[in-house]
């Protein structure tokens, strides 16, 4: 029997995506134990799993995601770093809204409600037939050529989102307009553009390393001061941890991120704010000054100098010395619509210990180079 042109086309698509499908299944089976690590969240457990195994599985996840981004980028001409930015932003939303955005574990973190996927007027909200979905103006598309538009299929998800954004054009401004059309949320547009900028600069997905905000040594002290009362300027709680050190001690970025804010605040003095890929906002206050080479919108990396410890704040611009020199360090989590602070002390201790261990390993290698 002679095959129709449509059947041949379908067969070609299935062959084209066979390798990706196999990779997806393989990695999905590995994702469960390494999912948190792939997200870049700090994980503190009582029983440590061998780091080499976690690292290998995490790298597999990143490599497989990158392969998917590259495939869809080739088809749609949307740069991979923009697709990666959308995917990561969606993953951060699921982290803070796990019940509302519940879905099976998969490589891609994008979540599309059934009404948007199949079409709001579609009588079958579990529809996976592309023609019917398109008829009802649903978002779902068949990305891997299997004849289905599955909202939990990695290729289908990426291709569907790309198809939604592609008509707006390929410039950065066009992409931002497309994001606004889809999310109807300026905060979402800003985050995704920031993430895209980071991915484009570093050319990789694994941007979740951290550093302690001060050079690790004996020239500082700190304890958990989150939630303590503050009275200057009206009663308020302390939304961070104070790290006491001498004037001029280097203040470093704790993460890969984009400088979102830089300037003066009557409470925090000279301060700087950096947004990372987990949608955490890292806030450094009471600085003596900034690194002059850094400006708003710049991309920074862990350990990079951003300023120096001071005692600025609690007054008009330039006010200094109302309290001992220290770094106020806070972290805020973005929910998609608002932000709230959480205690950074456990993360600070974790990053400090990691850096101390790295320093010891480095010294050991220099002392015993053949070990």
């Amino acid at each position: 029997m002679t095959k129709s042109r449509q059947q041949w086309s379908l067969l070609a698509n299935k062959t084209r995506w066979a390798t990706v499908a196999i990779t997806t299944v393989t990695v999905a089976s590995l994702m469960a134990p390494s999912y948190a690590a792939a997200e870049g969240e700090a994980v503190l457990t009582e029983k440590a799993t061998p780091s080499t195994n976690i690292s290998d599985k995490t790298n597999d996840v990143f490599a497989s995601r990158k392969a998917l981004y590259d495939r869809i980028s080739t088809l749609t001409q949307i740069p991979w770093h923009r697709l990666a930015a959308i995917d990561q932003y969606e993953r951060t939303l699921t982290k803070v809204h796990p019940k509302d955005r519940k879905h099976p574990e998969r490589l891609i973190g994008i979540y599309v409600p059934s009404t948007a996927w199949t079409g709001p007027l579609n009588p079958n909200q579990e529809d996976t037939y592309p023609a019917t979905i398109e008829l009802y103006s649903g978002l779902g598309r068949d990305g891997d050529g299997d004849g289905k538009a599955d909202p939990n299929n990695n290729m289908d998800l990426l291709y569907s989102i790309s198809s939604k954004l592609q008509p707006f054009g390929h410039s950065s401004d066009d992409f931002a307009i497309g994001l606004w059309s889809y999310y109807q949320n300026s905060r979402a547009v800003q985050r995704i553009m920031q993430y895209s900028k980071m991915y484009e600069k570093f050319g990789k997905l694994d941007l979740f390393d951290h550093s302690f905000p001060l050079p690790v040594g004996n020239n500082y002290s700190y304890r958990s001061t989150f939630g303590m009362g503050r009275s200057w300027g009206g009663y308020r709680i302390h939304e961070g941890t104070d790290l006491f050190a001498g004037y001029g001690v280097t203040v470093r970025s704790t993460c890969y991120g984009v400088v979102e804010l830089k300037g003066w605040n009557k409470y925090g003095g000279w301060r700087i704010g950096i947004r990372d890929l987990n949608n955490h906002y890292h806030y450094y206050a009471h600085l003596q000054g900034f690194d002059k080479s850094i400006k708003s919108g710049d991309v920074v990396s862990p350990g990079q100098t951003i300023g120096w410890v001071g005692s600025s704040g609690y007054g008009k611009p330039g006010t200094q010395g109302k309290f001992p020199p220290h770094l106020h360090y806070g972290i805020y989590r973005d929910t998609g619509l608002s932000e709230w602070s959480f205690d950074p002390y456990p993360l600070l201790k974790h990053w400090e210990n990691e850096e101390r261990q790295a320093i010891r390993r480095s010294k050991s290698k220099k002392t015993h180079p053949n070990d």
Side-chain angles (χ1 to χ4, degrees):
M1 182 180 295
T2 303
K3 292 184 181 290
S4 67
R5 182 177 298 178
Q6 185 178 4
Q7 288 174 312
W8 279 115
S9 177
L10 180 59
L11 180 60
N13 281 333
K14 287 184 177 180
T15 303
R16 183 187 308 164
W17 299 115
T19 303
V20 175
I22 292 171
T23 303
T24 300
V25 171
T26 303
V27 176
S29 66
L30 296 174
M31 278 185 64
S34 61
Y35 187 70
E39 287 225 54
E41 299 285 354
V43 180
L44 307 178
T45 56
E46 293 182 2
K47 295 182 179 180
T49 304
S51 59
T52 53
N53 292 339
I54 293 177
S55 177
D56 290 344
K57 291 178 181 179
T58 301
N59 289 337
D60 286 344
V61 171
F62 286 134
S64 298
R65 283 180 186 156
K66 181 62 164 57
L68 289 171
Y69 303 149
D70 288 338
R71 290 278 189 172
I72 296 299
S73 179
T74 300
L75 287 175
T76 64
Q77 303 306 306
I78 297 177
W80 74 268
H81 51 85
R82 293 179 181 173
L83 298 174
I86 295 170
D87 187 25
Q88 180 59 24
Y89 176 69
E90 291 273 339
R91 196 170 286 110
T92 66
L93 291 182
T94 300
K95 192 76 176 178
V96 294
H97 302 289
K99 294 182 179 179
D100 297 336
R101 297 169 54 90
K102 188 175 182 179
H103 61 75
E105 285 190 359
R106 39 180 162 78
L107 278 176
I108 301 303
I110 296 170
Y111 171 79
V112 181
S114 60
T115 52
W117 184 265
T118 63
L121 300 179
N122 194 329
N124 179 11
Q125 286 298 296
E126 296 182 357
D127 194 0
T128 59
Y129 187 53
T132 312
I133 291 174
E134 189 172 2
L135 177 65
Y136 285 100
S137 301
L139 182 69
R141 297 289 184 270
D142 177 14
D144 61 1
D146 66 353
K148 296 181 179 180
D150 182 353
N152 287 308
N153 178 287
N154 294 303
M155 293 301 302
D156 292 353
L157 275 169
L158 270 180
Y159 184 70
S160 298
I161 295 297
S162 299
S163 298
K164 178 72 174 178
L165 299 174
Q166 189 180 22
F168 289 90
H170 298 294
S171 72
S172 179
D173 288 343
D174 292 336
F175 180 61
I177 292 171
L179 291 174
W180 168 255
S181 175
Y182 180 68
Y183 287 101
Q184 297 287 300
N185 184 336
S186 59
R187 187 188 293 258
V189 176
Q190 181 187 28
R191 300 293 179 266
I192 292 171
M193 297 300 287
Q194 289 171 330
Y195 295 176
S196 177
K197 193 172 186 178
M198 281 188 269
Y199 285 133
E200 184 178 18
K201 176 173 180 176
F202 294 107
K204 62 178 184 177
L205 297 177
D206 187 5
L207 300 175
F208 297 101
D209 292 334
H210 289 88
S211 292
F212 193 67
L214 303 178
V216 172
N218 299 314
N219 59 343
Y220 59 82
S221 64
Y222 70 104
R223 61 187 179 89
S224 180
T225 55
F226 183 82
M228 297 177 66
R230 290 290 185 269
S231 59
W232 193 90
Y235 180 78
R236 54 199 172 87
I237 68 167
H238 189 234
E239 297 182 342
T241 290
D242 289 335
L243 296 94
F244 289 89
Y247 284 106
V249 171
T250 300
V251 174
R252 311 184 299 172
S253 173
T254 57
C255 62
Y256 289 99
V258 173
V259 177
E260 195 169 291
L261 174 148
K262 178 184 176 184
W264 177 268
N265 175 277
K266 64 181 179 180
Y267 300 110
W270 299 116
R271 85 277 199 245
I272 189 167
I274 298 172
R275 178 80 53 182
D276 73 11
L277 284 170
N278 285 318
N279 214 348
H280 290 169
Y281 179 74
H282 302 249
Y283 181 71
Y284 313 75
H286 305 315
L287 300 177
Q288 187 180 54
F290 306 110
D291 186 311
K292 293 182 179 179
S293 65
I294 294 176
K295 61 183 182 301
S296 294
D298 283 355
V299 176
V300 295
S301 56
Q304 181 176 339
T305 298
I306 58 175
W308 296 271
V309 171
S311 61
S312 62
Y314 282 22
K316 62 183 181 179
T319 303
Q320 302 272 350
K322 291 290 189 71
F323 39 76
H326 68 278
L327 169 68
H328 168 92
Y329 177 75
I331 305 184
Y332 297 76
R333 182 187 290 278
D334 191 336
T335 68
L337 295 174
S338 61
E339 285 186 317
W340 79 84
S341 61
F342 61 95
D343 188 358
Y345 181 79
L347 288 174
L348 287 170
K349 293 298 293 185
H350 181 64
W351 298 336
E352 182 185 30
N353 290 335
E354 278 191 333
E355 199 159 339
R356 287 188 186 279
Q357 291 171 10
I359 292 172
R360 284 196 292 267
R361 287 194 297 269
S362 179
K363 289 181 178 179
S364 178
K365 286 183 179 180
K366 289 181 180 179
T367 306
H368 309 285
N370 297 323
D371 289 355

